[in-house]
Amino acid sequence: MTSPETIIGNARIVLADRVIACGWIAFADGRVAEFGEGKAPAGNEDVAGDLIMPGLIELHTDHLEAHYVPRPKVFWDPIAAVVSYDGQLATSGITTVLDSLRVWREDGAEEVDGRAGVLAEAIASARDANLLRADHFLHLRCEIPMPSVVEEAKELVGRPDVRLISLMDHTPGQRQFRDEGKLRDYYRGKGAGMTDAELDTLFERRFAYQKAHAATNMREIVALAHQYDIPLASHDDTTDENVTDAIRDCVSVAEFPTTMEAARGLHQAGIDILMGAPNVVRGGSHSGNIAAVDLAREGLLDILSSDYIPSSLLMAALQLPRHAPAIDLASAVRTVTKTPAEAVGLADRGEIAVGKRADLIRVHVARDIPVVRSVWREGHRVA
């Protein structure tokens, strides 16, 4: 379905390399037709100086799972959960999302484990019924030590909407949770919490899984991604050895490196570094690892992800120039638009340029809080 021409005027337009202080943009048939500085053509929608920027592109959010299991042992209708989650994304300015699904099962662990197939089908059903505002793809989060992870990944990897596979290992005492106490605190705070005895049992099982399965599963998951030409992401890289592994596996994106040492090695290898937007907004990592703004100041931050709070993506991008003076507004916005799009092969979006998709958002900023006033996906207003 084609869309009529829309003209937006009196806007601050964020391009990939600069900001037009006062300009206009026209789009039709789902694409950007033209844009310029100064007075807009007749018939424009005056946005009173608000920002017009590309729709945000999210590579890693597991927030869907909180809609599907909103309380312990409470399972919501999966399609209704997807629709609710999608609405939150759209009103946060996200027009393209990679829904991060946990591809593993583990007895006695969280209730969303092993539910990737259910949620993937729910996303597809909602898409087919035209219920979604954002454009949804899949990000398969593979916990490498888990015995069934390869089998479960094979069930999903052939889907046309799979755009990213991440290689994760949350075995206690390494990567994100080098401090085992932090991992214990994490599980104590989840749902009804876990006792020390239960955590001892869980951790011993995970140590055994890693020893028995991690090396073989890593090789098979990497081979699977390469077979299907799906970009790979490493996860929580901490040491030089982790960086060496990421380079060996031809990783495209490094999610949440935990140390400056690892980030520098990844950057030198040409791997895009993704950090959490909540880390920027909060001023540090909830796990006690490297702060995203420290990486930004060192020129080591390429992509932001909202992770567990969709609204944090826009907030963090607009705050980055304040934290890192070398980053201007255009380059900050690239971390949530153009760069993530390119990382997963979505070359048709992520910037305001003639011929690109008219995935756009109007943003008003008041008291340092960005408010998404309008959202267009392929030229159609969806929020």
Side-chain angles (χ1 to χ4, degrees), residues 16 44 49 54 62 123-124 136 175 184-185 192 220 230 249 255 257 266 280 301 318 325 376 382:
N44 69 88
D62 49 16
I123 293 163
H136 288 251
R175 294 186 180 254
R184 287 181 178 271
D185 290 342
E220 293 195 33
I230 298 169
D249 296 332
E255 299 183 317
L266 294 160
V280 173
L301 175 64
L318 297 185
W376 296 266
V382 294

Side-chain angles (χ1 to χ4, degrees), residues 218-344:
M218 177 70 85
R219 289 194 297 270
E220 293 195 33
I221 293 292
V222 169
L224 201 60
H226 292 167
Q227 176 187 344
Y228 284 87
D229 198 25
I230 298 169
L232 276 168
S234 61
H235 197 82
D236 298 332
D237 293 318
T238 301
T239 66
D240 287 338
E241 182 181 3
N242 297 153
V243 174
T244 298
D245 290 346
I247 295 169
R248 175 201 65 202
D249 296 332
C250 300
V251 158
S252 300
V253 177
E255 299 183 317
F256 318 117
T258 67
T259 64
M260 187 68 74
E261 168 194 20
R264 286 179 176 140
L266 294 160
H267 177 76
Q268 186 174 4
I271 297 171
D272 285 334
I273 296 173
L274 177 152
M275 293 294 285
N279 187 315
V280 173
V281 174
R282 295 179 66 252
S285 164
H286 74 278
S287 301
N289 296 312
I290 191 73
V293 294
D294 289 341
L295 295 186
R297 294 184 187 113
E298 294 287 329
L300 301 175
L301 175 64
D302 300 296
I303 299 170
L304 285 172
S305 161
S306 71
D307 199 6
Y308 55 93
I309 304 179
S311 62
S312 70
L313 195 58
L314 180 58
M315 290 180 68
L318 297 185
Q319 288 178 12
L320 265 184
R322 183 192 317 158
H323 294 296
I327 297 178
D328 60 14
L329 179 59
S331 57
V333 169
R334 283 200 305 272
T335 68
V336 294
T337 54
K338 189 173 191 290
T339 305
E342 292 173 343
V344 293

Side-chain angles (χ1 to χ4, degrees), residues 83-123:
V83 172
S84 172
Y85 154 77
D86 170 78
Q88 187 174 3
L89 295 178
T91 55
S92 297
I94 297 169
T95 55
T96 297
V97 59
L98 271 60
D99 302 313
S100 302
L101 305 180
R102 305 185 200 197
V103 184
W104 73 86
R105 294 184 183 91
E106 182 181 16
D107 292 339
E110 297 179 57
E111 295 163 320
V112 289
D113 292 355
R115 306 275 178 168
V118 172
L119 293 175
E121 285 302 315
I123 293 163

Side-chain angles (χ1 to χ4, degrees), residues 2-16:
T2 60
S3 58
E5 183 177 58
T6 299
I7 304 173
I8 298 169
N10 191 18
R12 294 177 63 206
I13 301 176
V14 184
L15 305 180

